[in-house]
DNA sequence: CTGAAAGCGCTAACAC
DNA sequence: GTGTTAGCGCTTTCAG
């Protein structure tokens, strides 16, 4: 149905090779023929089949992306940046949204394999054994963005989660807080679970602030969980004066919980988030957060992956650690010491 | 490098045809051979090339999706639903995020064409002439989700935007409000711009509520715009007692503006949003909103498109109108009449 | 039930 | 500069 290269060749009175040549912008074609071919293409509304081209070139210009949750503000923003950069480099995205669904992830990884994607971006770190082994057998570059799964040969783009969590906690301590609660992630996650937790703990310890285990909770990075855990925290006697949540979503959940208990942020309780998602500016009070360079992270993820794909010189062989940054907004305040 | 069907055939001691047959689950293969082939596949870690298969079958199982803004809560949610449904039906998504970028849209549409996607989902209605003509020449099904561009032969999945806006406005009127501001969309958009505006106006007119043009603003559905427009609205004398914003994002922007002016929602001003995105539950006070069935809309969009692709009997030939629903939360209250 | 062979639409040697 | 031709890895007649 759709016109093929042969049709164009016939119409222009040249060989398919010549058509292919003008399509691929090669030099050795007389201007006159080039024009003829272009006319034929326009008249026929011809678009070369990327499928056929991929088959012979053994390159699909496709990048497979595995996102844990499209509806999270962090992931949708980083995906947006990934998409932008990919498009700029003439790569296309095959997107898979896995919601803690191992089977779906496995299925998609196989789809990626069958689709012969040129590279894969993964944004979570709870890799099942099956996934790991599949990944290791894959012949295409894989890159992790915002996470670093343990025991993997692949490159990660991350911030120093330990230090970022340390700095966030330290900020609360500097504000004079001594009862600081922690709403953590999933301890099966090294990057966003363990590292951030250890950062929190070490900041307390190094500053001789007492660790109170009732103040320490673990969740799943989602708003609802932040809300629920905050409820537990508010039940503690005495109440903490500050909370560090390891995702903005959980921080907002915590803020809402505080609000629903007729307490005020930051007057009664200071809250600091983590990620630097859009949420920070969207809530009131605006959320102070330890920010990841989300946009840059997405961009660099794709650029690095493309380097790997195209095997350019100087493709990095090690993780890229980006800088984190504390952005102070309105959700934390100085703790007035009790008399 | 990667094993091909020929390798499997050799290893199993059968012909490629037989391998192809077991791959495609055909019946007429002796169980014994079937087993042999399966073993060979496992041993080799063989995954059939979807590329090659697409070429001969003239079907890619690919759906191209054009989203206006991945970071918006509405679109990321509907995309999530689209992705889920597509995956369930063994289709894969090629995602394009166009941020009011006509060139990018055109480029992607051409990519879709070259990729030979089986169908296309579009979620905005500002179609340039060039886009329109390209769309019309395309030989694959196209479907619009949540919008209905004027003068298009393609099917749309929408709610009755006029009636939904009418009902939203009416709700405010029933609460006793008489000075009701409107934060609208882009009037170049029929569905979400004009229809919602006319719904608002007619609700006022039919209830003999005076239309005050200073209260009527138009924007772009984004939070920041809601904030800015609300600022203008707050400058009016007298101030309105209620505001209808045609997206939750703008409604939240408006709420934040009210907050930043030391006023209270809903005590000083009632605000109702539109869409039913996650934001509604995320802000305080929680946002009352005229909701679209986002999840269902995404699901039905894909299911309908697949019907069209597979040309099943009973594929709809007309728009599908889904139901809207007012969900009352905490951002609107009864207007106490002035003495 | 099974296999040989033609071709899907394109690119890339290789000749001319 | 330009054309011929052999595949890319698969499915699908068509024989057997």
């Amino acid at each position: 149905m759709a016109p093929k290269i042969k049709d164009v060749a016939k119409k222009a009175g040249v060989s398919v090779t010549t058509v292919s040549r003008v399509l691929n912008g090669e030099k050795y074609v007389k201007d006159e023929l080039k024009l003829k071919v272009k006319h034929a293409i326009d008249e026929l509304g011809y678009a070369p089949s990327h499928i056929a081209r991929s088959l012979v070139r053994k390159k699909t210009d496709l990048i497979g992306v595995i996102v844990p949750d499209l509806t999270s503000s962090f992931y949708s923003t980083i995906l947006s940046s990934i998409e932008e950069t990919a498009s700029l480099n003439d790569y296309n995205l095959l997107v898979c949204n896995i919601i803690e669904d191992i089977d779906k992830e496995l299925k998609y990884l196989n789809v990626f394999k069958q689709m012969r994607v040129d590279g894969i971006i993964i944004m979570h770190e709870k890799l099942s054994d099956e996934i790991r082994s599949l990944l290791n057998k894959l012949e295409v570059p894989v890159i992790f963005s915002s996470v670093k799964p343990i025991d993997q040969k692949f490159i990660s783009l991350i911030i120093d989660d330990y230090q970022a969590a340390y700095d966030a906690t330290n900020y609360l301590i500097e504000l004079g807080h001594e009862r600081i609660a922690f709403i953590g992630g999933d301890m099966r996650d090294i990057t966003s679970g363990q590292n951030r937790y250890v950062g929190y703990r070490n900041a307390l310890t190094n500053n001789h602030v007492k660790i109170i285990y009732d103040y320490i909770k673990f969740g799943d990075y989602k708003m609802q969980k932040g809300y629920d855990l905050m409820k537990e925290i508010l039940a503690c006697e005495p109440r903490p004066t500050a909370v560090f949540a390891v995702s903005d979503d959980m921080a907002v959940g915590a803020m809402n919980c505080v609000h629903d208990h007729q307490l005020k942020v930051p007057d009664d309780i200071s809250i600091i988030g983590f990620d630097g998602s859009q949420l920070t500016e969207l809530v009131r009070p605006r959320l102070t957060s330890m920010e990841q360079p989300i946009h840059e992270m997405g961009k660099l993820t794709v650029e690095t992956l493309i380097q790997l794909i195209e095997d350019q010189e100087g493709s990095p062989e090690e993780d890229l650690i980006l800088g984190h940054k504390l952005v102070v907004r309105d959700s934390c305040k100085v703790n007035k010491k009790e008399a």
Side-chain angles (χ1 to χ4, degrees), chain A:
Chain A
M1 198 66 228
K4 23 188 122 178
I5 197 169
K6 211 171 166 184
D7 302 323
V8 177
K10 202 169 291 173
K11 183 141 206 153
V14 297
S15 75
V16 293
T17 313
T18 303
V19 177
S20 174
R21 283 196 178 109
V22 342
L23 245 30
N24 295 295
E26 280 180 41
K27 305 176 189 173
Y28 304 115
V29 182
K30 221 187 280 178
D31 283 355
E32 188 200 327
L33 287 192
K34 210 179 279 183
L35 235 59
K36 267 193 194 167
V37 170
K38 285 191 173 161
H39 279 158
I41 289 176
D42 283 349
E43 278 182 49
L44 263 40
Y46 169 76
S49 161
H50 195 92
I51 301 294
R53 171 182 289 196
S54 295
L55 188 58
V56 30
R57 295 217 296 204
K58 294 174 175 315
K59 179 151 188 328
T60 54
D61 306 325
L62 243 32
I63 293 175
V65 185
I66 292 184
V67 192
D69 181 10
L70 273 176
T71 66
S72 118
S73 56
F74 176 74
Y75 291 115
S76 65
T77 305
I78 197 168
L79 183 61
S80 172
S81 167
I82 286 175
E83 194 277 344
E84 183 186 347
T85 313
S87 169
L88 247 33
N89 290 281
D90 293 319
Y91 278 84
N92 297 108
L93 254 39
L94 227 42
V95 174
C96 163
N97 189 201
I98 50 149
I99 311 171
E100 305 261 326
D101 183 338
I102 303 280
D103 292 338
K104 193 172 173 193
E105 182 175 11
L106 203 57
K107 174 185 162 189
Y108 257 101
L109 238 26
N110 275 310
V111 168
F112 289 171
K113 191 175 171 190
Q114 298 186 183
M115 285 282 192
R116 304 295 192 254
V117 298
D118 291 337
I120 294 175
I121 296 172
I122 300 181
M123 297 200 258
H124 76 112
E125 52 183 316
K126 267 192 277 307
L127 269 33
S128 71
D129 290 342
E130 217 168 349
I131 302 275
R132 279 171 191 279
S133 97
L134 216 177
L135 244 28
N136 283 319
K137 280 184 212 139
L138 244 37
E139 285 150 334
V140 298
V142 176
I143 197 165
F144 287 88
S145 194
S146 81
V147 291
K148 178 163 181 55
I150 197 163
D151 200 24
Q152 275 295 146
K153 60 177 182 181
F154 304 111
I155 292 180
S156 277
L157 260 99
I158 40 173
I159 59 166
D160 183 340
D161 286 87
Y162 165 80
Q163 191 62 46
Y166 189 103
D167 293 349
T169 310
N170 206 49
Y171 171 68
L172 295 175
I173 295 171
E174 281 174 0
L175 288 180
H177 293 280
E178 291 171 341
R179 296 199 307 274
I180 302 174
F182 178 75
I183 297 183
D186 186 328
M187 284 300 269
R188 288 171 298 174
D189 296 333
I190 307 292
T191 322
S192 39
Q194 297 179 24
N195 290 352
R196 294 182 193 168
Y197 174 56
V198 177
Y200 159 79
R201 286 202 45 154
N202 284 7
L204 294 189
T205 307
N206 291 354
N207 287 283
H208 313 292
V209 176
K210 202 168 79 187
I211 291 170
I212 300 171
Y213 287 96
D214 284 349
Y215 287 173
I216 298 176
K217 309 285 177 185
F218 298 98
D220 60 5
Y221 315 102
K222 295 188 185 163
M223 192 186 80
Q224 185 59 48
K225 203 70 179 180
Y227 191 99
D228 296 342
L229 295 177
M230 191 66 203
K231 207 167 188 172
E232 297 178 17
I233 289 172
L234 286 179
C236 296
E237 268 306 334
R239 270 200 320 255
T241 61
V243 180
F244 168 33
V246 303
S247 81
D248 288 336
D249 289 57
M250 287 199 295
V252 168
M255 278 179 55
N256 286 341
C257 182
V258 170
H259 175 274
D260 293 352
H261 281 73
Q262 276 73 46
L263 293 169
K264 292 271 177 219
V265 175
D267 299 315
D268 298 306
I269 294 189
S270 290
I271 297 185
I272 186 170
F274 197 106
D275 280 343
S277 77
Q278 304 183 109
L279 287 189
T280 55
E281 295 281 349
L282 186 145
V283 293
R284 289 298 181 274
R286 297 179 315 139
L287 181 66
T288 291
S289 181
M290 179 54 69
E291 306 206 352
Q292 309 199 47
I294 305 186
H295 192 266
E296 189 192 356
M297 197 174 258
K299 181 165 179 278
L300 274 179
T301 298
V302 175
E303 288 176 350
T304 309
L305 182 61
I306 291 178
Q307 282 188 6
L308 257 24
I309 289 173
E310 300 180 353
D311 201 20
Q312 293 166 1
E313 300 173 37
S315 354
E317 295 170 1
E318 292 189 353
D319 294 339
L320 267 65
I321 315 290
L322 307 183
H324 55 275
K325 192 171 80 183
L326 175 71
V327 178
V328 174
R329 296 195 183 82
D330 313 324
S331 65
C332 298
K333 63 174 276 191
V334 171
N335 184 40
K336 41 182 193 300
K337 297 282 160 82
E338 290 140 29

